[in-house]
Amino acid sequence: MMEDEEMNVKDIFTEMKDISELVLDLAYSSVFFDNDEIAEEVHELEERMGELNYKIKTMATLAVRTREGAEKISEILEVASASEDIANAAGDISNIIKRGFKIHPVILQALKEAEEKIAKVVIKENSNLAGLKIRESELATATGEYIISIKRGKKRIYNPDKETTLKVGDTLLVRGTEEGENLLRKICDGEINEWRN
Amino acid sequence: MMEDEEMNVKDIFTEMKDISELVLDLAYSSVFFDNDEIAEEVHELEERMGELNYKIKTMATLAVRTREGAEKISEILEVASASEDIANAAGDISNIIKRGFKIHPVILQALKEAEEKIAKVVIKENSNLAGLKIRESELATATGEYIISIKRGKKRIYNPDKETTLKVGDTLLVRGTEEGENLLRKICDGEINEWRN
């Protein structure tokens, strides 16, 4: 029983950590692209974090039977709460575009100069990427680009794992260098068909 | 005069954004490696953020002469303040190791399962990386590994730019996949000498 509860805490905690790692990227990219859709996702992730933090607190309280157990679980709750703070801060960042003002040039400049950039690419019909699992695609190693999220129709997959299969029409939100982006774009367009070792 | 002040705001803002992007990685890696040294850096970055936020607020107030100007600068101050919140949350995360307890297995497991991992690698004497600028090294594209910071003697370089020259003895804190890490390790050890296109 205890083990089962522990598992659940782990799953929730892992999701919170994953969201904390990607939500800031999304927030900055919503501002850089002046994209309401991405800003809306940041907002949804912020809400999800609130739910997860509530869940993990409840579970942790139920799971704890001893003083030592309470001390140990408090570490998890602190990191969980910090993860929620991060999502809230990201929400504040992407909120600035909701007002409809033009983004201040200082902000755009700072985002533009970053070594790593967020980009959006679509997998075209004749791309060899389609049908490959992320693991098989060797994209990260070959291009230095990381998939932050996949948009497939109305669905979005955040922090996709290595076993996720890429499909024609997927819109990838990626993070990497400009060189990597150019290479990935050619792979997604079907211009480059051989990139794996 | 105004332009000069604008420049300064931009520099401070860019530094805040850069720190916000790397401080969470550092916090999680301090916990994963149970490393006081990295936790101390997170703490220093947290303090630095406080200073930068104070500076940018002062500068912005001095620079603004009109109502429109005030509205525009408030965007920058909001993002700056969110960046500070992120550094504070990262500080809370790395603080859990300062108590000297063993890290809860749920936390270690969540960090271990991440697609992207933080790793530390040292550039050995016979590595072809030594003497190359980051841009020339093509590391990100070839291995998918990003340099978060470089430790050189007592000095640390955060978010090094493309023109930074890598040197023998540099300890790189990198983020990437396990495959990328293995490849980079061989490059740093001088086992692989050809990796650039």
Side-chain angles (χ1 to χ4, degrees):
Chain A
M1 186 65 186
M2 176 59 194
E3 253 179 46
D4 205 37
E5 277 164 342
E6 187 92 346
M7 269 291 287
N8 286 333
V9 167
K10 176 179 161 285
D11 292 344
I12 296 174
F13 180 81
T14 304
E15 187 176 344
M16 293 185 84
K17 189 202 65 77
D18 283 350
I19 294 177
S20 74
E21 284 184 321
L22 69 88
V23 71
L24 187 62
D25 277 343
L26 287 176
Y28 284 133
S29 73
S30 73
V31 172
F32 189 67
F33 292 119
D34 198 1
N35 185 320
D36 285 323
E37 198 189 343
I38 304 177
E40 184 50 40
E41 279 159 26
V42 172
H43 179 66
E44 280 166 22
L45 286 176
E46 201 183 343
E47 287 196 341
R48 175 84 182 136
M49 275 289 221
E51 285 168 28
L52 291 169
N53 203 8
Y54 178 79
K55 269 192 196 175
I56 205 169
K57 273 188 214 158
T58 316
M59 272 186 188
T61 315
L62 289 172
V64 165
R65 296 284 174 270
T66 62
R67 186 186 178 84
E68 196 199 8
E71 277 169 358
K72 283 181 108 182
I73 211 95
S74 75
E75 275 181 9
I76 295 178
L77 296 183
E78 277 171 53
V79 178
S81 160
S83 296
E84 193 183 359
D85 292 346
I86 287 162
N88 292 341
D92 292 346
I93 291 171
S94 64
N95 268 343
I96 67 169
I97 72 161
K98 293 204 173 168
R99 290 180 212 132
F101 293 155
K102 276 208 166 170
I103 302 300
H104 197 291
V106 160
I107 299 179
L108 292 179
Q109 203 57 35
L111 293 176
K112 205 178 168 189
E113 282 177 6
E115 168 81 7
E116 290 184 85
K117 285 178 189 170
I118 303 288
K120 255 178 171 177
V121 283
V122 179
I123 301 178
K124 303 280 170 61
E125 212 161 333
N126 50 343
S127 170
N128 277 0
L129 263 187
L132 291 182
K133 290 180 176 177
I134 291 179
R135 178 178 48 72
E136 295 164 336
S137 77
E138 298 177 17
L139 272 193
T141 314
T143 70
E145 297 286 311
Y146 284 90
I147 302 173
I148 297 172
S149 77
I150 301 173
K151 189 166 184 193
R152 183 171 294 163
K154 296 210 161 187
K155 190 179 154 202
R156 240 184 224 278
I157 306 162
Y158 293 104
N159 262 356
D161 70 28
K162 294 181 180 184
E163 301 306 319
T164 305
T165 301
L166 299 169
K167 296 188 176 172
V168 170
D170 282 355
T171 302
L172 312 179
L173 203 63
V174 295
R175 188 186 63 221
T177 62
E178 213 166 326
E179 296 80 14
E181 182 193 327
N182 293 337
L183 179 56
L184 177 62
R185 221 171 266 287
K186 285 176 186 162
I187 294 170
C188 285
D189 285 349
E191 269 182 60
I192 291 181
N193 297 308
E194 298 292 332
W195 66 89
R196 294 186 283 173
N197 286 321
Chain B
M1 185 64 188
M2 176 59 195
E3 255 181 45
D4 205 39
E5 276 165 342
E6 188 92 343
M7 269 292 288
N8 286 332
V9 167
K10 177 180 161 283
D11 293 343
I12 295 174
F13 180 81
T14 305
E15 188 176 343
M16 293 184 85
K17 190 202 63 78
D18 284 350
I19 294 176
S20 75
E21 284 185 318
L22 69 88
V23 70
L24 187 62
D25 276 344
L26 286 177
Y28 284 134
S29 73
S30 73
V31 172
F32 189 68
F33 292 119
D34 198 0
N35 186 320
D36 286 323
E37 200 190 341
I38 303 178
E40 184 51 37
E41 279 160 28
V42 172
H43 179 64
E44 280 166 22
L45 285 176
E46 201 183 346
E47 287 196 342
R48 174 84 183 137
M49 275 288 221
E51 285 168 26
L52 290 170
N53 204 8
Y54 178 79
K55 269 192 197 177
I56 206 169
K57 274 187 214 158
T58 316
M59 274 186 187
T61 316
L62 288 172
V64 166
R65 297 281 174 270
T66 65
R67 186 184 176 84
E68 197 200 8
E71 278 170 357
K72 284 181 107 180
I73 211 95
S74 75
E75 273 181 9
I76 296 179
L77 296 183
E78 277 171 53
V79 179
S81 159
S83 296
E84 193 183 358
D85 291 347
I86 288 162
N88 291 341
D92 291 347
I93 292 171
S94 65
N95 267 343
I96 67 169
I97 71 161
K98 292 204 173 168
R99 292 182 209 128
F101 293 156
K102 275 208 168 173
I103 303 300
H104 197 291
V106 161
I107 299 178
L108 292 180
Q109 203 58 34
L111 293 176
K112 205 178 167 187
E113 281 175 8
E115 168 81 4
E116 290 184 85
K117 285 178 189 173
I118 303 287
K120 256 179 174 176
V121 283
V122 178
I123 302 179
K124 303 281 169 64
E125 211 161 335
N126 50 343
S127 170
N128 278 1
L129 264 187
L132 292 181
K133 290 180 175 175
I134 290 178
R135 178 177 49 71
E136 296 165 336
S137 77
E138 297 175 18
L139 272 192
T141 313
T143 69
E145 297 286 311
Y146 284 90
I147 301 173
I148 297 172
S149 77
I150 301 173
K151 190 168 185 193
R152 184 171 293 162
K154 295 210 162 186
K155 191 179 154 202
R156 240 185 225 278
I157 306 162
Y158 293 105
N159 262 358
D161 70 27
K162 294 181 181 184
E163 301 306 318
T164 305
T165 302
L166 299 169
K167 296 188 177 175
V168 170
D170 281 354
T171 302
L172 311 179
L173 204 63
V174 295
R175 187 187 64 223
T177 63
E178 211 165 329
E179 296 79 13
E181 182 192 327
N182 292 338
L183 180 55
L184 177 62
R185 221 171 265 288
K186 285 175 186 162
I187 294 169
C188 285
D189 285 350
E191 269 182 59
I192 291 181
N193 296 307
E194 298 293 333
W195 67 87
R196 294 187 284 173
N197 286 323

